Amino acid sequence: MRNTMRTLFILLGALVGLAGTYLVHLGDRYGLPWLMIAVATLASLYGLGWGLLSAAAAWGLDWLLNPNGHLGFAAAILLISVLIADLIGKDLRRTYRRQQEVTTQLALLVAALEELSSFHGREAILRVLPELLGRYGEGHVSVWQPQPEGLKLLSAVGLDARTPTLLPDSGVVGRCALEGRLCYLPDVRQDPTYIAAPQSGIRSELALPLKERGQVVAVLNLERSHPFNKRELEGLERFARAVSLQLSQLSERAELQFLNQLSASLDSASTLSGVAERALALLVQALGMDQGWLWMQQGSRMVAVAGFGGMDEVEEIPYGQGLVWQVYATGRPIYAQNYRDIPQALSRFRGAIGGVVVHPVPLPNQERPRIVLSLYQDSPRRWRESEQDLLAAACRTLGLALEGVLAAQQRDVLIALLREAAEAQAETVYENLLQAAVRMVPGAEAGSLLAREGSRFRFKALLGYDASLKALSFSETEQLRWYSGALQDWQRGEPRILSTNHTDLKQLSGEGLGEAGRVKEIAANLALPVVYRGEVLAILYLDNLHDPAAFAEDSLHVARFFAAPIAALLHEVRYRGLLEQAAATDPLTGLSNRRAFDQRLEEELKRAQRYGQPVSLLVMDLSGFKQINDRLGHAKGDEALVQVAQVLRASKRDGDTLFRWGGDEFAALLPHTDLAGAVAAAQRYAEAIEKIRIEDLELGVNIGVAAYPGDADDSDMLLRQADERMYRAKRCGVSVLKA
C-alpha cells in the first residue's frame, strides 16, 4: 500500500509539473521531461509492458498538447526512458519481491511462534502445527511421529480421510526422519519413492525434521499443487528450527522440574523400599510406561527391592539370567524397542513386554552397578535421546538417595547387633554377625566366621557351608597363608579380595577344608581380619560362588565400616566367654565343672539328634583317692586330682570334652562315638590313670559307659545308664565294664 501511494504521488507531481509548463507557455520546451518522469516511474516499478503502454499514452498526450512539436524525437526519447527505467527497475523489483517474501515468512514465523508459546507440552505443540500453518496459507499439512513400526500420523489439516495413518520408513517423510534434514520434492512425479495420497493435484512435497535436543521426534510435512520457491524453503526451514528449539527448551525445563520433584519426594523417604517405590511411581508416570522394578544384587540373586504396576510374582532373578544381570556385568543401560527381539530376554516375559529399558543406578565406589532399574510397557517403543538423558539424571538422583538410606541401614544393623549381643549367647552373636555381613557387604552370598581359641582359630558360624567344619581348627600361620597378604595388613585388619581370575583358590587353601569347604565352587573371597588392640580376634570370610568379580572397592568400604564395631563386639563376647568359662571351670584341675557338664550334655545330645549321629558319655569314679587324702593329706590329694586331669587331657581325642564333677568324680562327652568306641576310649583313660603314683600309693578308676541312641533317648536316661554301669564295674572289681 505504501509503494502504491508513493507511485501516485510521483505521477501526480509529474502531471502538475507538465501543467505548470504549459501555463507559463514553456510546454513546447519543458513538457517532455515531465512525461519522461512519469513513464520512467511506471516502467521501473511495473516493468516493460506498463512502461511501453505509458510511453504511448504520454506521446499521445504530447501530440495533443503540442501538435507542431517534434513527435518523432519525443517518441524516441520516451522509448529510451522506458528501456533505461526497465533495466534499472528489474533489480529494484527483484529486491522488493524478496523483501515481501521475507516479510511474509517472518510474519508467519513470529505469529506461529507467538501462538506456540502458549503450549507447554510436546504433544500439544506438534498437534497444533498443521492447523497453524494451514491458517497461514499452507494447504496440506501433517505431522508424523517415528514409531517402531514406521511413522504414525499425529495430526493433519487438508488431508483426505482415506490418507493412511502409518507410513513406512521409505519415502520423503521417512528419509527426513532417518537423515534428520529437510527433504524436498519439487515434482513428486519424478521420485519413485513418493507415496501418493488419495487426493489428486499434489505437485510438490516438503518434509521438515522437528528435533528435540538434537534428535528427530516428528516430521512436519507440507504438500502443494505448485513448487516451493527458495525463499519459502528457507523460511519454513527456519520455522522448523525455531519449533525444534522450543521443543528442546520445553524438554530441558520438564526434565529439571521432574528431577526437582523426584529429589523432593525421595528426601522424605527413609527406607530402601520407600525410596524405590516413590522413584518407580514418578518414572513410570513421567515416561508413560506400564510397570517398573528396582533390583539389588545379593550374592547370586537379583532381588526385587520394589515393583510398580504388576508382575508381582517376580521376586528375584537367578545369576546371569535376563537383561538385569547384563547391565550389572557391563555397567551400560539397555534400551530396546521390543523385548521379544532380545536374545537375553527371559522366555516367560517375551509375549508380555514390548518396549523396555534397564538402567544402572550408580552408587559411590562401585565398579559394577549393584542396583538396577527396569521399566517396561506392553507395546513396542522407540526411545528418544531426551528420555535417555532424563533416565540417566534420574538414576543419579536415585543413587544419591539410596546411598544415604543404605548407610543408615548399615548403622541400624550394627546398633541392633550390639544391642542383641548384650543378652544373646556367644553362638547366637556369631551367627547374627555373619548373617548381617553377608547381607550388607556387596557381592557376598556365603561366608564363615572363625574366632581365636588360644593359639588356634575355630569356625564359630557358617552360612552356606556344612556344620561339620566347626570341628576343624587352624593355626594363625595357616590363616595367614589363606589371607595371602602382607603381615602388616593382617595385623592392621585390612580386608583383602581373592578371585579365581587371578588366584588358584583351591591350591591356596590346601586339603584341610575338604568337600565341606566347597573351595572348588568359590569364585571370589573377601577376608577381614578382626583386630582388637593389635590381636587378631577373628577372621570373617565372605564368598561368592558364581562371579569372580563379585567383590570390589564398595565391598571393601563396607567391610572396613564393619571392622571396628565387630572387633569391639567380639572382644566383649570373648571377655564374657572367659567369665562364663571361669564360672564353668573347676579351679583346681582346669577341667569344666558340673554346671558346664549339664549344659554341654544337653547341647551335644540335641546336636546328635538333629544330625542323626551317636554321642557317648563316660562317668569316672577314682579308687584309692581316699587313702591318699587320709594318709598323705589334702595337698597330696589335690596333686592326685591335678595329675588325673593331666593324663585325661593327654589321652583325649579332638572333640572330646572332660569334666570334673566334684570330689574324685570325672566325666567325658564323646561326640560322633558309638558304644564300642566309647568303651575303647574308657579303657585308654583307665590305663592312663592307673599309672599315676603319689609317693607309694596307686590310683585306680571305675568307668561307666553309655551311648545315644542305643542306651538312651534323653540326657537323664543316658546319665543314669552310665552311672549304673560305673557302679557295676566297681562291684565287679574292673575298671571298665564291657557292655
Side-chain angles (χ1 to χ4, degrees):
M1 178 65 72
R2 184 179 300 173
N3 289 332
T4 303
M5 293 297 296
R6 189 180 294 122
T7 302
L8 291 175
F9 278 125
I10 293 173
L11 294 175
L12 181 61
L15 291 175
V16 170
L18 178 65
T21 57
Y22 278 98
L23 287 174
V24 296
H25 306 287
L26 297 175
D28 56 340
R29 294 182 181 180
Y30 301 108
L32 185 61
W34 291 105
L35 292 174
M36 290 171 59
I37 292 173
V39 169
T41 299
L42 290 172
S44 63
L45 291 177
Y46 299 107
L48 183 62
W50 280 95
L52 292 174
L53 183 62
S54 62
W59 183 82
L61 180 63
D62 183 62
W63 177 70
L64 289 174
L65 295 174
N66 189 17
N68 297 320
H70 301 283
L71 297 179
F73 175 75
I77 292 296
L78 290 174
L79 181 59
I80 292 171
S81 298
V82 168
L83 294 175
I84 294 174
D86 178 60
L87 289 174
I88 297 174
K90 281 183 178 179
D91 290 335
L92 294 175
R93 292 193 301 275
R94 188 180 301 113
T95 301
Y96 174 74
R97 284 196 299 272
R98 288 178 180 175
Q99 181 181 0
Q100 288 294 97
E101 291 172 359
V102 170
T103 301
T104 302
Q105 292 292 341
L106 287 175
L108 170 64
L109 180 64
V110 171
L113 291 178
E114 284 179 352
E115 289 198 43
L116 288 177
S117 64
S118 62
F119 296 91
H120 303 291
R122 181 196 312 107
E123 291 291 314
I125 289 176
L126 295 178
R127 286 184 180 279
V128 80
L129 280 177
E131 177 186 348
L132 194 60
L133 291 179
R135 193 187 308 164
Y136 288 97
E138 299 298 338
H140 303 158
V141 188
S142 55
V143 172
W144 302 81
Q145 279 188 313
Q147 299 292 332
E149 61 274 15
L151 292 116
K152 183 179 179 181
L153 179 64
L154 182 65
S155 63
V157 165
L159 292 184
D160 190 276
R162 294 169 294 172
T163 301
T165 58
L166 187 68
L167 295 178
D169 289 333
S170 59
V172 177
V173 178
R175 286 203 307 274
C176 177
L178 292 174
E179 298 173 7
R181 61 179 180 82
L182 175 150
C183 291
Y184 174 50
L185 286 181
D187 188 347
V188 296
R189 295 169 297 181
Q190 305 301 317
D191 193 323
T193 65
Y194 174 69
I195 303 172
Q199 61 267 36
S200 59
I202 296 301
R203 173 76 179 276
S204 298
E205 182 177 18
L206 172 64
L208 297 159
L210 301 178
K211 299 180 180 181
E212 184 180 87
R213 296 159 79 165
Q215 184 184 24
V216 177
V217 295
V219 174
L220 176 63
N221 193 54
L222 298 95
E223 294 177 315
R224 277 185 180 179
S225 58
H226 57 281
F228 294 83
N229 61 45
K230 183 178 179 181
R231 297 302 170 187
E232 288 176 321
L233 292 175
E234 291 175 352
L236 288 168
E237 189 171 17
R238 286 196 297 270
F239 174 75
R241 285 199 297 267
V243 173
S244 297
L245 178 61
Q246 187 167 356
L247 291 175
S248 298
Q249 291 173 343
L250 281 175
S251 173
E252 291 169 356
R253 192 179 308 129
E255 179 180 317
L256 183 60
Q257 291 173 350
F258 173 79
L259 293 176
N260 289 336
Q261 181 187 10
L262 178 65
S263 181
S265 177
L266 298 184
D267 282 345
S268 59
S270 58
T271 65
L272 200 63
S273 60
V275 169
E277 288 169 359
R278 294 185 180 203
L280 288 171
L282 290 172
L283 282 168
V284 167
Q285 180 181 8
L287 295 171
M289 304 299 287
D290 295 321
Q291 53 197 316
W293 287 91
L294 192 71
W295 307 91
M296 175 179 283
Q297 185 230 0
Q298 290 186 2
S300 62
R301 303 170 300 149
M302 278 289 177
V303 178
V305 176
F308 184 88
M311 293 170 59
D312 293 335
E313 73 276 6
V314 183
E315 295 181 356
E316 62 181 53
I317 302 175
Y319 178 77
Q321 297 184 19
L323 301 183
V324 174
W325 280 106
Q326 184 177 345
V327 170
Y328 162 79
T330 64
R332 295 190 296 271
I334 296 175
Y335 291 89
Q337 293 188 19
N338 204 330
Y339 186 75
R340 66 176 60 92
D341 297 332
I342 302 174
Q344 297 86 355
L346 297 175
S347 56
R348 54 180 168 162
F349 299 129
R350 283 186 183 274
I353 296 175
V356 61
V357 55
V358 184
H359 204 290
V361 179
L363 268 69
N365 302 314
Q366 280 192 350
E367 296 178 16
R368 282 186 170 184
R370 303 188 187 275
I371 300 178
V372 179
L373 170 74
S374 59
L375 301 173
Y376 311 92
Q377 70 178 40
D378 297 339
S379 59
R381 181 188 186 113
R382 185 175 284 186
W383 292 94
R384 297 189 299 271
E385 289 184 13
S386 60
E387 294 173 331
Q388 298 180 28
D389 293 342
L390 174 66
L391 265 173
C395 285
R396 288 193 295 269
T397 302
L398 177 56
L400 293 174
L402 291 173
E403 179 191 10
V405 172
L406 288 172
Q409 189 179 72
Q410 291 167 5
R411 291 193 298 269
D412 292 343
V413 168
L414 283 176
I415 292 171
L417 284 173
L418 293 170
R419 187 184 299 118
E420 294 170 0
E423 299 179 358
Q425 296 292 325
E427 184 176 345
T428 302
V429 173
Y430 292 135
E431 294 288 347
N432 291 345
L433 194 155
L434 177 60
Q435 290 175 9
V438 170
R439 187 170 66 252
M440 300 304 298
V441 175
E445 64 172 302
S448 57
L449 179 66
L450 290 87
R452 181 185 289 275
E453 289 185 353
S455 62
R456 298 185 70 80
F457 291 89
R458 187 179 295 276
F459 286 102
K460 294 297 183 181
L462 297 160
L463 188 62
Y465 295 99
D466 192 272
S468 62
L469 290 176
K470 290 187 176 182
L472 304 178
S473 67
F474 305 90
S475 67
E476 187 162 0
T477 301
E478 290 173 318
Q479 289 304 300
L480 265 170
R481 181 172 179 268
W482 175 245
Y483 177 71
S484 191
L487 178 61
Q488 58 267 31
D489 291 340
W490 167 268
Q491 294 171 339
R492 197 170 60 246
E494 180 64 23
R496 71 94 182 100
I497 295 172
L498 293 179
S499 166
T500 53
N501 283 339
H502 311 100
T503 307
D504 186 343
L505 299 182
K506 184 177 182 300
Q507 182 180 4
L508 187 65
S509 67
E511 300 297 331
L513 294 176
E515 293 296 326
R518 303 178 68 181
V519 178
K520 294 180 181 178
E521 301 177 51
I522 297 175
N525 171 268
L526 185 150
L528 175 66
V530 181
V531 178
Y532 187 82
R533 294 182 179 178
E535 182 185 22
V536 178
L537 296 181
I539 310 105
L540 175 66
Y541 290 117
L542 301 175
D543 302 311
N544 189 289
L545 307 178
H546 296 82
D547 183 10
F551 297 117
E553 184 59 36
D554 57 335
S555 309
L556 295 176
H557 177 76
V558 177
R560 293 187 186 103
F561 175 78
F562 271 91
I566 287 176
L569 178 61
L570 291 182
H571 170 71
E572 181 182 345
V573 170
R574 184 188 187 193
Y575 179 72
R576 193 171 67 201
L578 291 174
L579 292 178
E580 292 174 353
Q581 182 180 357
T585 301
D586 173 55
L588 177 63
T589 62
L591 299 179
S592 300
N593 59 20
R594 180 61 183 263
R595 175 186 175 187
F597 171 81
D598 292 339
Q599 179 180 347
R600 189 62 179 269
L601 176 61
E602 292 294 337
E603 291 175 355
E604 290 294 345
L605 194 59
K606 287 180 180 178
R607 186 176 292 111
Q609 291 170 343
R610 186 183 309 125
Y611 296 108
Q613 298 170 342
V615 62
S616 295
L617 169 63
L618 307 184
V619 174
M620 303 176 232
D621 183 55
L622 299 180
S623 59
F625 175 73
K626 187 175 183 304
Q627 185 179 10
I628 294 173
N629 217 27
D630 292 344
R631 284 179 55 185
L632 303 178
H634 291 292
K636 289 296 182 180
D638 289 348
E639 181 184 338
L641 294 175
V642 170
Q643 288 194 33
V644 169
Q646 289 174 346
V647 300
L648 289 176
R649 285 195 191 95
S651 303
K652 85 178 190 71
R653 306 169 306 169
D654 285 344
D656 295 351
T657 310
L658 302 170
F659 304 89
R660 182 192 174 199
W661 277 5
D664 59 353
E665 294 181 322
F666 293 80
L669 279 173
L670 285 62
H672 311 292
T673 307
D674 58 13
L675 186 59
V679 169
Q683 289 174 336
R684 188 172 64 251
Y685 286 145
E687 290 172 0
I689 292 172
E690 289 168 356
K691 293 177 182 178
I692 297 174
R693 296 289 186 273
I694 305 298
E695 295 188 359
D696 60 340
L697 298 177
E698 298 179 354
L699 273 178
V701 68
N702 302 112
I703 303 177
V705 182
Y708 167 86
D711 295 325
D713 292 328
D714 57 44
S715 58
D716 289 339
M717 184 179 297
L718 191 67
L719 183 58
R720 187 164 56 249
Q721 187 74 281
D723 208 37
E724 289 178 358
R725 289 177 178 170
M726 183 269 292
Y727 282 112
R728 285 172 57 193
K730 184 177 290 190
R731 288 195 298 271
C732 295
V734 297
S735 298
V736 180
L737 185 66
K738 296 181 179 180

